Amino acid sequence: MYKSMMQAVCSETDVSDIDLSMFVGAEEPLHGVNELAAASVRAAVSSTQMFIQEYFGTRPSARIDRTLVDRWCVSSVMPTGWRLPSEWDEFAKDYQARDGWIRLHTNASHHRDCALSVLGDVSTPEEAAEVIANWNSAELESAIVNAGGCAAVLRNRQEWQSHPQGIAVAQEPIVHWDITQSSSHHWKLHSSERPLSGLRVLDLTRVIAGPVATRFLANLGADVLRIDPPHWDEGGNTIDMAVGKTCAGLNLREAEDLSTLIELIKSAHVLVHGYRKDALSRLGLTKSRLSELNPALISVGVNAYGATEPWQNRRGFDSLVQRSSGVAMEKSGIVTALPYQALDHSTGYLTAATVMQALRLQHAGGGAASAIYRWRDRLRFYWMLTLTTPPCLKGSLIKMALVFMRIIVTMNKPIGGQYLGCLCLMKLKA
């Protein structure tokens, strides 16, 4: 699994040895999801090692602690004497429809409003369940999505493989690179102990997957500026995902704030965003426009259901994708999912790995690249472990829903001691 990931993120860079890091620790790793998450972390760490070696001339050693990977993916915050705010809206749950199950994602207030506008006069999840019981699940999914909300029918793996979106993304590579020529990059780094110190990262991501990537970059020393809409609130998730970042708010529907974002894009070295495929274009920030604003910009985009129709512009979260694609399953009237947001976390670390490979490519004069990491390939990696064994769902199940992404990296091609990072998941020694 790790080698498949590295072959994808290194497809445009020269690498003769991808076995730079090693796994340690396995007190009680969670079967299947640990393999996926740990391999993704290792891909990010190995890509960092490659970059350090080529930029600074030293190769640090690294160990990936499997046990810590599980612990950090469950939660990196352990309150003492207080509780984290809930990540979940009361309506965000699985409901039994007339012909099956459907999951609503209502954590964002506007998504909740859209779902409730379809359900009608309901004020509690119990009332919602009574209404949903009379709906056909696919019809309700379409109605909520068309209203601007987020929902997913529970499908099995075979149903997903025959679904138009499942068929479409199965034809896509794990990472697709699109390389263009441009002027030389304008970043300069200073220390192998903080290898990304001096790199400016503009973070336009939400919830888990994108923020995991930018958190990784921040822990390597990057100056990460996260921009959210005004009054955006992710509850307890903010404490976990804002570590090491500067945070600010902009309303991109306002001309003045959009102009501010454009100025930030001009001065950034890396842009990481979590918008749907058409969102930046609707703001006038097309691929060509971004290149015009900043010819040396590395742009990494994360999107839920990939770049292929019919669902390329659909809103999506980890919990929804699990249900769409057959990862989650129902047994004895209970829908069970993965024990933590493995799809999100894996995508986050693979996004970070792709950024590191893009930096290697740019430093070596290899190109301005657009690289796409397809969300369905996380499922492919996961199912490699579960073709005959269902997901390990023993013990207390942590409910999941948060962003499940593909990765697009756009980067311009130039013409002319000890470090502890990744939130204690890795240790690099020179």
Side-chain angles (χ1 to χ4, degrees), residues 22-227:
M22 62 180 293
F23 289 126
V24 299
E27 292 177 8
E28 292 182 0
L30 295 173
H31 172 71
V33 291
N34 179 270
E35 188 71 19
L36 175 64
S40 303
V41 171
R42 188 180 178 190
V45 172
S46 294
S47 296
T48 301
Q49 291 173 284
M50 294 174 189
F51 176 79
I52 292 173
Q53 181 179 11
E54 294 179 14
Y55 192 92
F56 296 102
T58 62
R59 177 189 286 192
S61 61
R63 296 183 176 183
I64 313 302
D65 190 315
R66 289 181 179 274
T67 302
L68 285 177
V69 169
D70 278 340
R71 290 177 181 174
W72 279 107
C73 289
V74 170
S75 178
S76 65
V77 180
M78 301 180 67
T80 301
W82 60 285
R83 292 184 179 181
L84 284 168
S86 175
E87 295 180 8
W88 294 99
D89 177 72
E90 62 177 339
F91 287 94
K93 57 190 298 184
D94 296 289
Y95 296 88
Q96 190 160 17
R98 190 171 65 237
D99 61 337
W101 290 83
I102 186 170
R103 173 82 179 193
L104 305 189
H105 195 285
T106 57
N107 286 359
S109 60
H110 57 292
H111 293 161
R112 171 174 167 157
D113 292 343
C114 292
L116 296 186
S117 71
V118 173
L119 296 179
D121 185 20
V122 299
S123 57
T124 68
E126 291 74 22
E127 291 177 355
E130 292 180 5
V131 173
I132 292 172
N134 295 314
W135 273 84
N136 170 275
S137 58
E139 291 176 356
L140 180 57
E141 178 188 64
S142 295
I144 292 175
V145 169
N146 291 337
C150 304
V153 170
L154 181 68
R155 297 175 174 87
N156 60 40
R157 189 183 177 209
Q158 290 69 36
E159 289 171 332
W160 177 246
Q161 289 176 330
S162 62
H163 187 278
Q165 190 64 27
I167 293 171
V169 295
Q171 309 304 314
E172 300 176 0
I174 298 173
V175 179
H176 172 73
W177 293 82
D178 180 12
I179 302 174
T180 59
Q181 299 285 337
S182 78
S183 58
S184 299
H185 68 76
H186 54 282
W187 46 267
K188 184 177 181 180
L189 309 180
H190 310 292
S191 169
S192 61
E193 293 185 356
R194 299 282 285 169
L196 295 186
S197 179
L199 190 78
R200 293 190 295 275
V201 178
L202 184 57
D203 180 2
L204 305 181
T205 67
R206 311 276 185 271
V207 198
I208 291 184
V212 164
T214 52
R215 184 181 66 183
F216 184 93
L217 301 176
N219 281 312
L220 292 172
D223 181 5
V224 178
L225 173 61
R226 173 169 168 166
I227 301 295

Side-chain angles (χ1 to χ4, degrees), residues 33 93-95 101-103 153-156 318-340 343 382-383 390-401:
V33 291
K93 57 190 298 184
D94 296 289
Y95 296 88
W101 290 83
I102 186 170
R103 173 82 179 193
V153 170
L154 181 68
R155 297 175 174 87
N156 60 40
D318 190 317
S319 64
L320 301 186
V321 174
Q322 285 193 56
R323 284 151 180 82
S324 295
S325 58
V327 172
M329 59 185 64
E330 180 271 335
K331 185 177 181 180
S332 302
I334 298 175
V335 177
T336 52
L338 302 180
Y340 58 73
L343 306 182
Y382 179 73
W383 282 111
C392 179
L393 299 171
K394 298 178 181 178
S396 177
L397 181 67
I398 297 178
K399 292 183 180 179
M400 304 172 50

